[in-house]
Amino acid sequence: MRVGRMGEVDVMKFLRMETLKSVNFANAKLDDEGARVLSEEVLGDVRLQELILASNKIGDVGANHILSAKGAVHLLRLDLTGNSLGRAGFDVVSQFLRRDDTKLKTLDLDYVEEGEKNAILVVDAISSNSSLETLDWNSKEYRGEVSEVFVDALIKSVCNDSNFMSMLQSNHVIKSFGSMTDGSYNFWKNYPKNMGRLKNILGINSAGVSVSKRIKEKILSYYLCDDFDVQPFHDMGIALMPFVVGLANMTDTNYTCSRVRKRLLSSVFRIVKHIPELVSLPSPKEMKLKHLEARNAELEKDNLSLKRKIDKLQAEIEQLRGQRKRAYKHGQVSV
């Protein structure tokens, strides 16, 4: 369903249909107040799957209204292309991506404000997200140029090789960063040298195999030669991967390429030194439980802070009521 210009609030009420799955408010001149009405009337009880808000005037406050709405967790696609999100808005998006209950698969942030420095906030949240498959991002300043630092941040989110555990906890489901990774590089002013590696990793994520096999392929592909046949190791447990890498590097030079041997000698031991952690390697359910417990602790802390604010406000209200009663008693206030 496509809607042109923003009409009366009654239009929003009309859209509160249980069967509604997609709404297009592109170029509707929606501002933060319009986003608030939208979040209350459309994203309340309706399980909307697709929400297009491209080319509007939605800022940080509006983004917060949209993503804090009850029904936001059911969205599969959200398009915020060409809006005016600043740092606070990107932070809201980042927090939303970190939620365990979000089902978002496609997020469009083309041509939003500020560019890379704010987009980093979203990139940092990608590694902990298990649903997002496409993040389409270009900044308004983007003219066929993106920094290698930013590409490194994207690589770290999908293949963090700091240690074995960080590799396991990287994002293994995202398949595309939009036109930045899918388009032709012929128009680039300065093509980042590390873009090729990012595309290779996204290729692994896009493979029609299980997440477990993607993880093993990343480990073996990164720490061994590019033409190393990882297929025989797909059925091995993930915990054995550092041993495979170490054995291949130290026993038979045919398993490695001379051009990467120096890198392997340092990186292999960097990963193997974390092998003691594998003795008590948590299962996916245990890792999820640990994450939920940490999230619950954060919520309890927030609830405690909120309760204090409520208590303080109630005390102030009681004080004002007392003052009003005293003023009324002395005839200073008339009913």
Side-chain angles (χ1 to χ4, degrees):
M1 179 177 184
R2 179 176 175 84
V3 178
R5 288 191 174 184
M6 182 71 179
E8 301 293 334
V9 175
D10 289 341
V11 175
M12 296 298 187
K13 292 181 179 179
F14 172 76
L15 293 173
R16 296 185 67 181
M17 299 183 295
E18 293 183 0
T19 56
L20 192 64
K21 299 300 180 185
S22 177
V23 173
N24 190 333
F25 276 100
N27 295 295
K29 298 184 179 180
L30 277 174
D31 56 10
D32 288 343
E33 177 60 20
R36 181 192 66 78
V37 176
L38 178 66
S39 66
E40 294 176 357
E41 301 295 339
V42 181
L43 289 175
D45 297 321
V46 177
R47 295 198 171 193
L48 204 63
Q49 294 182 357
E50 183 180 59
L51 180 58
I52 310 299
L53 298 173
S55 302
N56 282 292
K57 300 177 181 179
I58 298 173
D60 299 342
V61 175
N64 185 55
H65 285 313
I66 296 296
L67 294 177
S68 62
K70 179 181 177 181
V73 294
H74 300 295
L75 289 172
L76 299 181
R77 181 190 176 193
L78 176 61
D79 189 347
L80 292 172
T81 298
N83 282 282
S84 303
L85 273 64
R87 184 174 182 82
F90 273 93
D91 188 54
V92 168
V93 174
S94 172
Q95 293 302 319
F96 181 75
L97 290 177
R98 294 179 191 275
R99 292 180 57 169
D100 296 316
D101 53 353
T102 177
K103 300 177 179 64
L104 197 65
K105 291 185 177 297
T106 302
L107 176 61
D108 295 291
L109 293 174
D110 269 351
Y111 302 103
V112 293
E113 300 284 356
E114 300 297 332
E116 289 184 1
K117 64 180 181 181
N118 286 335
I120 287 289
L121 295 173
V122 176
V123 172
D124 289 342
I126 292 174
S127 59
S128 59
N129 182 280
S130 59
S131 65
L132 194 67
E133 295 182 355
T134 300
L135 172 60
D136 204 347
W137 174 88
N138 286 322
S139 70
K140 282 187 174 180
E141 300 85 357
Y142 174 80
R143 294 292 183 273
E145 185 172 3
V146 66
S147 72
E148 290 188 11
V149 173
F150 185 68
V151 176
D152 275 337
L154 293 174
I155 290 174
K156 187 175 181 180
S157 70
V158 294
C159 187
N160 187 343
D161 64 316
S162 299
N163 56 61
F164 188 65
M165 292 301 293
S166 65
M167 182 74 85
L168 291 180
Q169 295 169 357
S170 299
N171 185 300
H172 307 294
V173 296
I174 197 162
K175 301 174 182 178
S176 169
F177 287 109
S179 57
M180 185 172 65
T181 54
D182 300 345
S184 170
Y185 60 84
N186 293 331
F187 65 91
W188 287 74
K189 290 181 179 179
N190 296 299
Y191 191 72
K193 296 178 181 179
N194 48 358
M195 183 63 77
R197 183 171 175 235
L198 175 60
K199 289 186 175 184
N200 289 338
I201 297 170
L202 293 178
I204 295 175
N205 279 2
S206 302
V209 295
S210 66
V211 170
S212 174
K213 288 183 178 179
R214 294 175 195 172
I215 296 173
K216 285 182 278 188
E217 184 127 0
K218 285 181 184 179
I219 293 172
L220 295 172
S221 296
Y222 178 73
Y223 289 103
L224 296 176
C225 180
D226 293 338
D227 58 2
F228 184 80
D229 183 12
V230 299
Q231 189 68 33
F233 301 98
H234 275 173
D235 294 328
M236 281 190 176
I238 292 176
L240 295 176
M241 292 302 103
F243 295 97
V244 173
V245 174
L247 182 64
N249 181 63
M250 292 182 283
T251 60
D252 192 341
T253 55
N254 291 328
Y255 280 85
T256 62
C257 294
S258 58
R259 61 185 173 81
V260 295
R261 189 164 183 78
K262 185 175 181 181
R263 174 171 65 90
L264 282 166
L265 288 173
S266 60
S267 59
V268 165
F269 288 105
R270 192 172 66 193
I271 202 172
V272 170
K273 72 178 182 180
H274 292 277
I275 286 178
E277 300 174 15
L278 303 180
V279 178
S280 57
L281 186 67
S283 67
K285 288 186 177 180
E286 289 173 326
M287 292 175 67
K288 186 173 182 63
L289 176 61
K290 186 176 180 180
H291 179 72
L292 290 175
E293 288 175 342
R295 177 63 177 160
N296 184 56
E298 291 179 2
L299 291 174
E300 288 180 349
K301 184 177 179 180
D302 291 341
N303 287 337
L304 181 61
S305 175
L306 184 59
K307 186 177 183 304
R308 288 173 180 169
K309 291 179 180 180
I310 292 173
D311 291 342
K312 182 179 178 181
L313 185 58
Q314 288 177 336
E316 292 175 353
I317 291 173
E318 289 299 324
Q319 184 179 6
L320 289 173
R321 285 177 177 172
Q323 292 174 354
R324 184 174 179 81
K325 286 181 180 179
R326 288 191 294 272
Y328 177 75
K329 184 177 180 181
H330 292 87
Q332 298 176 0
V333 177
S334 60
V335 179

